[in-house]
Amino acid sequence: MWSPLHIVRLKGQTPGLRRHAAALLKWCRDANVSSFSHSAARSSKTCQALVYTNHGDPSKVLQLKNVDLPPIGEKDVLVKLLAAPINPSDINMIQGTYAILPDLPSIGGNEGVGKILDIGKQVKSLKAGDWVIPRDAGLGTWRTEAVLAEEDVISVPNDIPLLSAATLGVNPCTAFRMLSDFEDLMPGDSVIQNAANSGVGQAVIQIAAAKGINTINVVRDRPEFTQLSERLKAMGATHVIKEEALRRPEIKEVFKSCPKPKLALNGVGGRSATELLRHLQIGGSMVTYGGMSKQPVTVPVSALIFKDVKVRGFWVTQWKRDHSHDGSLFGAMLDELCSLIRQGKLTAPSCTQVALQDFHQALDASMQPFISSKQVLLL
């Protein structure tokens, strides 16, 4: 874990996280100090961190604080955090509405990249200078430095762009798994998705294009729709259409140049998801990974009876935990994604880089509608 602050008690924790959390709790109790006030005898360094002691509006409950770092254990590493994005799940976690919530007080951020500065005597898989990203969610990446257990991070190449590494662990992994695990997609096949301008949506476009798979990309209407459409097509999108076009006859023109989709990816819910279902092939799958509209998914009876569609869900955090016993699959996925990055076939989403002390500005921007740029904290 990103210790000492972020003691996360979550169902399905890896053994390493549970041991580390238990050790930190015991340390705090034995020392008779709060997790924010370790004595100088127990810690020789401090870092800056975005801390919240209660759930609520992130702009109101987050505070930038100086936090003591614990000593480096024999199986720990000291990491200098380099960059960490602000994702919707980060906001929801601080608001107290996410599926997993850490104990409070806590540090914000679930994703990011750091550089190892020092290692414990028994660390075998990592060395100083390596770049690492979290293996799991809920670790608190919005801080300048952290002491982590070796088993709670995984190395990534340090020859890829910083922003690509900082945004690698959530959205590209979500896109990769959804394109791989639900339908046997071959070159020439089609995928339809809403929220195509999201981080996941942009990753889907690029990974699919690299595999020769068509993408039909649905976005909400907006003043700059033409510019957005051109940008997504430059990434590899086959078609970019507005939400309302799904319900109009012109959608038939799309399927003159590519087959009906085998797979639909839903990050919105509500009516948008229902419309995706209507255009699936017989026996196709719709996978829901988000619900930005906050509306339920309604499945037409006809889609179930006459098209035998499959309605599934996906959460990358659960996938990582389900495969935590064997890191080879996670590592192989990261290797393939990083190969695409090196080839210029997978780029980070449009990002706005913001200094840590300007976090209020980044939070406000990340919560605006039709936001086209991901906010990334430079640490």
Side-chain angles (χ1 to χ4, degrees):
M1 292 184 66
W2 307 91
S3 43
L5 293 180
H6 210 83
I7 302 172
V8 187
R9 297 177 189 161
L10 306 173
K11 184 178 181 181
Q13 284 178 310
T14 63
L17 280 173
R18 287 196 297 269
R19 287 196 301 271
H20 207 47
L24 287 169
L25 277 172
K26 184 177 186 301
W27 181 18
C28 292
R29 289 167 181 163
D30 290 350
N32 194 29
V33 294
S34 77
S35 56
F36 287 96
S37 58
H38 297 296
S39 67
R42 303 299 295 264
S43 175
S44 59
K45 293 192 66 175
T46 62
C47 73
Q48 287 190 306
L50 287 177
V51 179
Y52 59 104
T53 57
N54 55 279
H55 296 298
D57 182 344
S59 64
K60 295 179 180 178
V61 299
L62 277 172
Q63 293 182 297
L64 185 60
K65 295 193 173 193
N66 290 320
V67 178
D68 289 333
L69 290 172
I72 303 171
E74 292 187 344
K75 296 183 179 181
D76 293 340
V77 293
L78 174 64
V79 175
K80 169 68 179 78
L81 277 298
L82 301 174
I86 299 177
N87 291 319
S89 58
D90 302 324
I91 300 297
N92 294 153
M93 191 173 283
I94 296 166
Q95 291 169 332
T97 60
Y98 199 55
I100 56 174
L101 298 175
D103 287 346
L104 300 178
S106 189
I107 296 174
N110 292 292
E111 186 182 27
V113 64
K115 179 180 179 179
I116 293 184
L117 300 180
D118 199 1
I119 62 173
K121 293 180 180 179
Q122 295 186 28
V123 172
K124 303 297 183 184
S125 64
L126 302 168
K127 64 183 184 301
D130 284 353
W131 281 12
V132 292
I133 64 174
R135 286 186 180 270
D136 200 358
L139 301 184
T141 54
W142 297 348
R143 57 162 70 190
T144 55
E145 292 186 19
V147 174
L148 304 82
E150 176 187 11
E151 62 188 359
D152 289 341
V153 295
I154 187 169
S155 63
V156 295
N158 58 11
D159 62 348
I160 62 175
L162 177 66
L163 294 178
S164 292
T167 57
L168 179 61
V170 177
N171 293 332
C173 291
T174 297
F176 185 95
R177 294 262 57 98
M178 292 194 300
L179 290 170
S180 302
D181 295 351
F182 295 92
E183 291 289 339
D184 185 16
L185 297 173
M186 304 297 292
D189 286 339
S190 297
V191 173
I192 189 169
Q193 64 167 343
N194 54 27
N197 188 41
S198 66
V200 171
Q202 292 180 48
V204 165
I205 290 169
Q206 295 175 85
I207 297 169
K211 296 176 179 290
I213 298 167
N214 298 299
T215 55
I216 303 161
N217 301 279
V218 184
V219 297
R220 292 176 294 176
D221 194 11
R222 63 194 70 201
E224 70 278 12
F225 172 80
T226 300
Q227 298 94 310
L228 173 59
S229 176
E230 291 173 353
R231 183 162 62 86
L232 296 181
K233 287 180 178 179
M235 292 180 184
T238 312
H239 298 281
V240 181
I241 61 176
K242 301 175 184 178
E243 287 271 6
E244 47 269 32
L246 287 172
R247 300 180 284 274
R248 293 177 178 170
E250 61 255 36
I251 189 66
K252 296 178 181 178
E253 295 298 316
V254 170
F255 299 121
K256 290 181 179 179
S257 60
C258 63
K260 285 266 190 173
K262 286 184 176 179
L263 180 67
L265 304 177
N266 168 44
V268 177
R271 189 174 184 182
S272 177
T274 303
E275 295 300 330
L276 293 185
L277 274 170
R278 296 187 191 280
H279 299 295
L280 275 178
Q281 283 187 19
I282 292 175
S285 297
M286 183 175 78
V287 182
T288 293
Y289 67 91
M292 289 189 289
S293 72
K294 296 182 172 59
Q295 297 298 314
V297 173
T298 302
V299 182
V301 171
S302 59
L304 294 173
I305 296 175
F306 303 119
K307 296 177 71 173
D308 191 27
V309 297
K310 299 179 286 290
V311 181
R312 305 286 303 277
F314 182 77
W315 185 29
V316 73
T317 296
Q318 191 62 53
W319 184 93
K320 290 176 181 178
R321 293 179 179 186
D322 290 344
H323 296 84
S324 60
H325 61 285
D326 179 10
S328 61
L329 196 58
F330 188 18
M333 174 173 60
L334 293 179
D335 287 344
E336 188 167 343
L337 291 171
C338 289
S339 176
L340 292 176
I341 292 170
R342 289 195 188 95
Q343 296 173 59
K345 296 180 178 180
L346 177 63
T347 60
S350 175
C351 294
T352 299
Q353 302 175 57
V354 182
L356 181 60
Q357 59 266 31
D358 296 324
F359 70 94
H360 281 294
Q361 169 189 328
L363 287 170
D364 290 343
S366 69
M367 299 176 71
Q368 296 302 311
F370 301 114
I371 188 69
S372 297
S373 183
K374 182 175 289 294
Q375 305 295 303
V376 177
L377 298 172
L378 297 182
L379 306 166

